[in-house]
Amino acid sequence: MRSGTAISSLRSGATWILAGSAVYSACQWALPVVVARTLDPEAVGQFALALAITAPLFLLTNLQLRTVLVTDVESRHPFRHYLRLRRISNLVALAGVAAVAIWGPWPTQTAWALGCVGLARAADSMSDLHYGGLQREHRLARVALSMALRGIAALASVSLALALGGGVAGAAAAFAAAWIVAEQFVDAPSSRRLLGRDSPLSNAPSIGALARTALPLGLVMALISLNLNIPRYFIEGLRGARDLGLFAAAAYLSQLGALVVNALGVAAAPRLAAQFTEGRRADFRASLLRLTIVALALGTLGLMVALAAGRLVLTRVYGTAYGEGAEVLSVLCAAAGLGYLTAALGCGVTASRQFKRQVLVLGAATLTTLIAATLLVPGRGILGAAWATLISSGVACAGMTWLLAASMSAWVPERSDEAS
C-alpha cells in the first residue's frame, strides 16, 4: 500500500512539473525562434553568446542550493540561510558579469545583452531557490504554475520588444524585466507564505558550513555548463556570431527531451534522497530505473527524427538559412541522448550526496571537450563543435555510471528492504 501511494504521489508530482516544464521550456525554446525569425543568424549568435558566458558563472556561484535543500532530509540548515547565501552569491555573479561586459572585446549590443541576461539569471536563481523550498514540501503544483507563468511572460515581453524594433539589446532587457517581476511578485511571496519570512539576522558559521557543503555541487554544475558552452566559445572566436547562431539553433532543438528528464528528476529528487538515506535499496533502484528508461527512449527518438528529417525540421522552425545545420543536429541529438542518460544517473548520485566525486567526472569531461574543440573546430567548424560535444557526453555518461556503481556498492542500508 505504501509503495502504491508513493508511486501515485511521484506520478502526480511529475505530472505537474512536466506540465509546467513543458510550457516553460517551450517558451524558452521559442525565444531564439522569435529572434531568428525577426533578426538574422548573427543576432541569434549574440544572444546565444550572452547565455553561454553567463551560464557557467551563475551555476558556479549558485552552488546548486536547490538540490542541497531538497536532499537535506535531516534539515541541517534552515531555509533562511539558503536564501541569504543565494543573495550573496548573486551579487558575486553579477559583479563578474559586469566585469566581462565592460572589459570584454564585445560590440555594444553584445555587452548590453550580457548585462541584461545577467540580471535575468539573478532573478531566475532566486526563483529556483523558492522552488526548492516548495519542492521539499511537495508543493509541486505551485512550482509548475510559476514556471509556466515565467515562460509565457518572458516570451511575450521579448516578442513585444522585437516587434517594437528593440533588437537584441531590447529583447535582452525585456527578458530580464519579465523574470525580475515574476520573482518579486509571484515566487517570493509564495515562498514566504509557506516557509516564513527571512530573518535579517543570520548565523554566519551555519551559512559558511552550508557554502562549503554546496561548493562541490556548484563546481559540478559550472563544469557541466562549461562542457556545454566551450564549443560555442570556439565557434564565436574562430567563425563568428553567424556560425554560432546556426549551431545554437540546432542545439536548442536537440535539447527538447531534456524537459521531460528534468521534470521527472525534479519530482523524484526528494523521494530518491529519502530512499537512499533510509536504506530502501529496492525502491531506490526502481525509481532510478524508471528515469533511465525514459532518458534512453527520449534520446533514441530524438536521434531518429534528426536523421530522418533534420533539414526539414530546421528550415520549418527557423528558416531556410538554418537548413545547412542538419548534420550538426544529428550529432547533437546523439550527444543529447547521452546527456539525458547522464542526468538520470546523476539524480541517483546526487541523492546519495556524492558531490565532490562528481567534480572529478565533470572535470574530465570538460577537459575532453576543450581538447576535442581545439582539434576539431578550426578545421570542421560547427560540425567539429558538435562532434566535440558528442565525445565529451560519452565521457560524462561513463563517469556518472561509474560513480553511481561505486555509491551503490559502498551503500550499507540502515534497514533491510524487507523491513522497508
Side-chain angles (χ1 to χ4, degrees):
M1 188 71 179
R2 173 181 169 181
S3 177
T5 302
I7 293 174
S8 176
S9 175
L10 176 59
R11 286 175 178 170
S12 176
T15 299
W16 273 109
I17 289 295
L18 181 58
S21 296
V23 176
Y24 176 82
S25 298
C27 292
Q28 290 299 292
W29 170 75
L31 283 174
V33 175
V34 171
V35 175
R37 288 288 185 178
T38 307
L39 304 174
D40 53 26
E42 184 176 357
V44 177
Q46 290 175 340
F47 193 72
L49 181 64
L51 295 172
I53 290 175
T54 56
L57 181 59
F58 271 92
L59 286 172
L60 172 62
T61 57
N62 282 352
L63 305 175
Q64 275 300 97
L65 290 180
R66 176 178 176 176
T67 300
V68 178
L69 173 63
V70 170
T71 59
D72 187 8
V73 178
E74 299 173 354
S75 299
R76 298 181 181 91
H77 302 278
F79 178 73
R80 65 180 181 273
H81 291 175
Y82 287 91
L83 198 60
R84 183 58 56 84
L85 181 56
R86 175 56 57 88
R87 288 170 178 165
I88 295 171
S89 68
N90 272 349
L91 291 176
V92 174
L94 286 173
V97 170
V100 172
I102 293 171
W103 288 296
W106 323 113
T108 303
Q109 290 268 32
T110 303
W112 178 262
L114 268 170
C116 291
V117 170
L119 290 173
R121 287 199 183 277
D124 180 56
S125 71
M126 293 303 302
S127 293
D128 180 69
L129 189 60
H130 297 311
Y131 292 166
L134 295 169
Q135 182 183 349
R136 190 167 70 169
E137 299 294 326
H138 302 286
R139 304 297 181 90
L140 295 179
R142 291 188 184 184
V143 175
L145 290 173
S146 173
M147 291 178 67
L149 177 63
R150 290 174 64 233
I152 293 170
L155 179 59
S157 299
V158 170
S159 299
L160 179 60
L162 291 173
L164 295 175
V168 174
F175 181 50
W179 276 7
I180 290 171
V181 170
E183 190 276 327
Q184 286 291 310
F185 295 99
V186 177
D187 299 329
S190 178
S191 176
R192 282 197 296 266
R193 283 196 298 270
L194 182 65
L195 300 168
R197 293 183 179 274
D198 179 32
S199 170
L201 299 176
S202 295
N203 187 319
S206 178
I207 292 177
L210 175 59
R212 289 191 295 272
T213 299
L215 180 59
L217 199 54
L219 289 171
V220 165
M221 297 309 297
L223 288 172
I224 290 175
S225 183
L226 274 175
N227 195 31
L228 177 68
N229 288 304
I230 282 174
R232 290 169 167 82
Y233 304 150
F234 273 81
I235 293 170
E236 200 278 335
L238 297 174
R239 298 294 181 118
R242 183 184 182 279
D243 277 16
L244 177 57
L246 297 176
F247 180 86
Y252 291 137
L253 278 179
S254 71
Q255 290 295 323
L256 286 178
L259 74 93
V260 179
V261 176
N262 291 339
L264 291 174
V266 167
R271 199 169 308 281
L272 282 168
Q275 289 167 348
F276 193 93
T277 301
E278 296 169 7
R280 292 154 53 194
R281 188 188 297 264
D283 291 341
F284 181 83
R285 286 176 172 169
S287 297
L288 202 56
L289 179 61
R290 286 191 287 270
L291 281 176
T292 55
I293 289 174
V294 172
L296 286 169
L298 288 172
T300 302
L301 178 61
L303 180 58
M304 291 173 61
V305 171
L307 290 172
R311 182 177 295 273
L312 177 63
V313 171
L314 285 168
T315 54
R316 289 290 179 86
V317 172
Y318 296 111
T320 306
Y322 294 87
E324 61 187 88
E327 188 176 359
V328 172
L329 177 62
S330 297
V331 178
L332 287 176
C333 282
L338 290 174
Y340 302 159
L341 183 57
T342 302
L345 297 172
C347 288
V349 176
T350 301
S352 67
R353 298 181 71 83
Q354 298 296 316
F355 301 150
K356 294 181 180 179
R357 291 183 178 181
Q358 293 184 54
V359 176
L360 298 176
V361 171
L362 273 303
T366 303
L367 181 60
T368 301
T369 305
L370 182 61
I371 295 172
T374 301
L375 295 174
L376 297 175
V377 175
R380 306 192 68 182
I382 59 175
L383 182 59
W387 275 104
T389 303
L390 176 58
I391 294 169
S392 175
S393 297
V395 172
C397 188
M400 203 61 69
T401 302
W402 169 73
L403 272 186
L404 182 62
S407 297
M408 296 288 287
S409 64
W411 184 15
V412 179
E414 294 181 5
R415 57 184 182 183
S416 67
D417 292 339
E418 291 77 9
S420 67

